[in-house]
Amino acid sequence: MSKNPHDAVKQGLGDHLARLWRYGLVLSGSRDMAEDLVQATCLRALERAHQFTPGTRLDRWLMTILHRTWLNELRAARYRRGEGLVDAESVLVFDGARAIEANISAAQVLNQVQALPEAQRETVFLVYVEGFTYREAAETLDVPIGTVMSRLAAARAKLSNPESNPQVRRVTS
């Protein structure tokens, strides 16, 4: 990787677009908003490439930018009309019997995760989907590491007992 921060960001940005989009989708629940968040993140990363330290984790730096961009969007949304969540079934593609079964299970998990409070949902995504360490997630979310552990424990408790979460509809087969 280049020692020049601008080159390092330009060279590595494309490798992380899919992960950024997934995180944007988890935060916003909207494909369009996820795309807007990724675009804003890329723009901000390129504008502020001088703040990146080559040799460090570019993905963590980009996720932090995306998270802060989302928080700014939430603040601005108080004055604008908000958007709803994407239905999990509309995100999944059905392709054959085995894929249908897998997608039904995935839809159930997505519905349960989407029903979690936002703070728990984004923490679950960073740690369990993106593989961030607790410390990395804490730094990205700008919270103490104990808060990350607490959010994950609460999310695991809710996900393991869907009846305790009235927003989650249990699908039986």
Side-chain angles (χ1 to χ4, degrees):
M1 181 160 281
S2 174
K3 293 186 183 213
N4 179 334
H6 292 280
D7 291 342
V9 171
K10 287 179 190 175
Q11 291 171 0
L13 195 57
D15 296 338
H16 301 291
L17 292 177
R19 291 177 72 196
L20 290 170
W21 187 84
R22 281 193 310 262
Y23 187 38
L25 184 61
V26 165
L27 292 176
S28 68
S30 164
R31 289 175 180 226
D32 293 335
M33 179 56 80
E35 289 175 10
D36 290 346
L37 285 169
V38 171
Q39 287 178 359
T41 299
C42 291
L43 180 61
R44 185 159 295 157
L46 292 171
E47 289 173 345
R48 299 182 183 185
H50 64 279
Q51 295 175 349
F52 177 69
T53 306
T56 61
R57 302 259 322 254
L58 179 62
D59 60 339
R60 227 178 73 198
W61 187 69
L62 293 169
M63 292 285 194
T64 301
I65 292 172
L66 190 139
H67 183 258
R68 292 188 178 147
T69 301
W70 172 245
L71 291 178
N72 290 339
E73 183 62 33
L74 286 179
R75 288 183 196 106
R78 291 180 186 152
Y79 302 103
R80 294 192 316 243
R81 185 174 60 93
E83 297 200 32
L85 295 175
V86 171
D87 185 32
E89 288 82 6
S90 69
V91 175
L92 300 172
V93 176
F94 296 104
D95 182 23
R98 192 176 301 159
I100 288 173
E101 290 175 12
N103 283 332
I104 289 171
S105 295
Q108 291 171 338
V109 171
L110 284 173
N111 281 335
Q112 291 177 4
V113 171
Q114 285 290 52
L116 291 172
E118 182 178 341
Q120 291 175 10
R121 187 173 64 240
E122 64 190 11
T123 306
V124 164
F125 177 81
L126 289 175
V127 173
Y128 296 129
V129 176
E130 291 300 331
F132 279 33
T133 65
Y134 288 6
R135 183 173 312 289
E136 291 170 338
E139 290 171 3
T140 299
L141 299 172
D142 199 24
V143 297
I145 196 168
T147 301
V148 168
M149 295 187 309
S150 174
R151 287 178 182 177
L152 290 174
R156 282 191 299 265
K158 284 184 182 178
L159 292 173
S160 67
N161 184 12
E163 284 80 25
S164 69
N165 191 345
Q167 295 176 332
V168 176
R169 290 174 298 183
R170 188 173 191 121
V171 179
T172 57
S173 31

